[in-house]
């Protein structure tokens, strides 16, 4: 039996008619940019996070860039983040002209270590970007204390974590703003690119709404240099339909993760750590294993998809060479890049498929060809 790493068909098919109707309504109305659907989705996502405002933007990367820009982060400022995340996190920092500073991750959770963050704080530190990697929130309470102490902004890269919470607080609650992505494979995905920023401060929200539309306060009157980064009305309409199922899908992801935990517990692999009082939404189910590449090849031969998120830590990526990082600077992130493997996990994955995945992992570890 083949098991794909990810398959979105079931998700889409379960709401096909409603989605097609929503698309048709947008076309019939003829309002394609910043219409009613975007406004409603902004309200709904903000409510789902328990924050004041949502601002629909073109993608999760722009959400990060716009947040940094709106908070006034610029050349000469240092922004601390994790070296173990998708490239966009550091790209956003460099895009606004700021200097990226890395703090290593905790080995068991893959999340940025607050202690390491504090070690990197100084008078140039203007912001900290926490990344809720694989769907689990970083220690926002602790990071919030550090950010306050050093008068730095706190931003969340919540692109993988819509619906997650920690100690009862959702994304966006402990920070100045959180970036969300609606890329097709995210927990809430559209059929293209899309993103949102959620913030608690109304003034910051107004600023972000200006920035996403060329810095204009009204049509053809421009207050500042912004960009063109809006969430399309058609994507907002689709996402409003899909949002109704997000809770159910996240629950399903958690059930699948529990199944894996039960099935894999006797094998010599490190399973994902769930922090106490954390609602992990399992964007990815990522194990740590000594001979990662060998296992991935074995699974591939057996028709089972898997993924390496991420093969190279950010400090060792080519565009970061000018900053002078070297191998050994962030040992936990480097270890994760060499030993992490993400297994198939998506709404609609069956228990039978999970069993097949686990059987093949077990065969590979026993050296059966
Ligand atoms: C997906 C993702 C992004 C970027 O989102 P896009 O919508 O693809 O621009 C940023 N950070 C993380 C951690 C992501 O997973």
């Amino acid at each position: 039996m083949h098991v794909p790493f990810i398959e979105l068909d079931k998700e889409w098919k379960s709401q096909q008619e409603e989605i097609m109707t929503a698309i048709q309504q947008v076309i019939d109305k003829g309002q394609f940019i910043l219409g009613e659907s975007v406004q409603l989705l902004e309200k709904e996502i903000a409510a789902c996070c328990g924050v004041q405002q949502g601002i629909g933007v073109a993608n999760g990367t722009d959400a990060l860039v716009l947040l940094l820009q709106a908070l006034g982060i610029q050349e000469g400022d240092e922004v601390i983040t994790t070296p173990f995340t998708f490239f966009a996190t550091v790209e956003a920092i460099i895009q606004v002209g700021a200097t990226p500073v890395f703090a290593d991750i905790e080995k068991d959770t893959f999340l940025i270590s607050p202690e390491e963050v504090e070690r990197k704080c100084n008078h140039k530190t203007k912001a900290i970007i926490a990344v809720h990697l694989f769907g689990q929130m970083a220690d926002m309470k602790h990071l919030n204390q550090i950010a306050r102490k050093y008068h730095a902004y706190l931003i969340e890269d919540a692109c993988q974590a819509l619906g997650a919470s920690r100690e009862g607080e959702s994304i966006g609650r402990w920070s100045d703003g959180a970036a969300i992505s609606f890329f097709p494979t995210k927990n809430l995905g559209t059929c293209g690119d899309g993103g949102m920023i959620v913030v608690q401060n109304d003034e910051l929200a107004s600023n972000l709404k200006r920035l996403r539309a060329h810095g204009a306060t009204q049509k053809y009157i421009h207050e500042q240099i912004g960009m063109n980064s809006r969430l399309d009305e058609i994507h907002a309409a689709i996402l409003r339909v899909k949002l109704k199922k997000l809770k159910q899908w996240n629950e399903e992801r958690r059930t699948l993760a529990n199944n894996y935990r039960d099935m894999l517990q006797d094998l010599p692999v490190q399973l994902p750590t769930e922090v106490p009082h954390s609602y992990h939404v399992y964007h990815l189910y990522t194990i740590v294993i000594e001979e990662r590449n060998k296992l991935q090849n074995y699974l591939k031969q057996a028709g089972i998809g898997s993924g390496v998120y991420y093969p190279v830590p950010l400090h060792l990526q080519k565009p970061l060479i000018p900053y002078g990082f070297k191998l050994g600077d962030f040992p936990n992130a480097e270890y994760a890049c060499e030993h992490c493997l993400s297994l198939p996990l998506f709404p609609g994955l069956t228990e039978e498929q999970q069993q097949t995945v686990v059987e093949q992992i077990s065969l590979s570890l026993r050296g059966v060809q």
Side-chain angles (χ1 to χ4, degrees), residues 72-186:
I73 311 297
Q74 55 186 331
E75 206 178 323
D77 296 339
E78 292 187 355
V79 179
I80 302 176
T81 194
T82 158
F84 189 53
T85 170
F86 179 54
F87 190 69
T89 317
V90 75
E91 200 174 25
I93 297 170
I94 296 172
Q95 284 281 0
V96 300
T99 305
V101 172
F102 294 114
D104 207 356
I105 55 169
E106 292 167 343
K107 214 168 175 177
D108 55 343
T109 61
F110 313 120
L111 299 170
I112 194 165
S113 153
E115 288 76 18
E116 290 300 312
V117 169
E118 183 150 18
R119 272 192 342 111
K120 297 297 174 82
C121 283
N122 63 48
H123 67 282
K124 282 190 192 159
T125 308
K126 286 289 152 58
I128 298 164
I129 306 183
V131 181
H132 305 324
L133 202 72
F134 304 152
Q136 174 154 253
M137 280 178 68
D139 188 353
M140 292 305 295
K141 202 173 177 176
H142 197 164
L143 290 168
N144 177 286
Q145 285 165 359
I146 297 168
R148 281 166 188 249
K149 185 169 159 189
Y150 293 90
H151 307 289
Y153 292 111
L154 181 56
I155 293 170
E156 292 166 85
D157 180 338
C159 287
Q160 302 186 355
L162 185 57
S165 64
R166 189 158 168 167
E167 293 175 61
E169 300 290 351
S170 171
I171 60 163
R173 297 274 296 170
W174 288 109
S175 68
D176 294 287
I180 298 164
S181 166
F182 302 125
F183 185 81
T185 57
K186 304 284 158 119

Side-chain angles (χ1 to χ4, degrees), residues 340-355:
C340 271
L341 190 67
S342 302
L343 305 180
L345 192 153
F346 50 87
L349 182 73
T350 66
E351 200 164 322
E352 204 187 356
Q353 286 177 309
Q354 286 192 287
Q355 260 152 10

Side-chain angles (χ1 to χ4, degrees), residues 217-255:
T217 43
Q218 45 179 298
K219 235 179 184 181
Y220 309 123
I221 307 297
H222 302 268
E223 175 106 357
Q224 63 201 116
I225 299 297
M227 57 203 259
N228 176 3
S229 181
R230 299 166 296 215
L231 177 65
D232 288 328
E233 189 70 5
I234 218 156
H235 289 304
I238 293 168
L239 288 162
R240 290 192 66 221
V241 175
K242 293 189 77 188
L243 180 59
K244 295 184 207 165
K245 286 212 169 181
L246 179 66
K247 269 204 178 122
Q248 180 192 320
W249 284 330
N250 280 342
E251 272 295 307
E252 191 176 338
R253 286 174 182 275
R254 288 172 57 81
T255 304

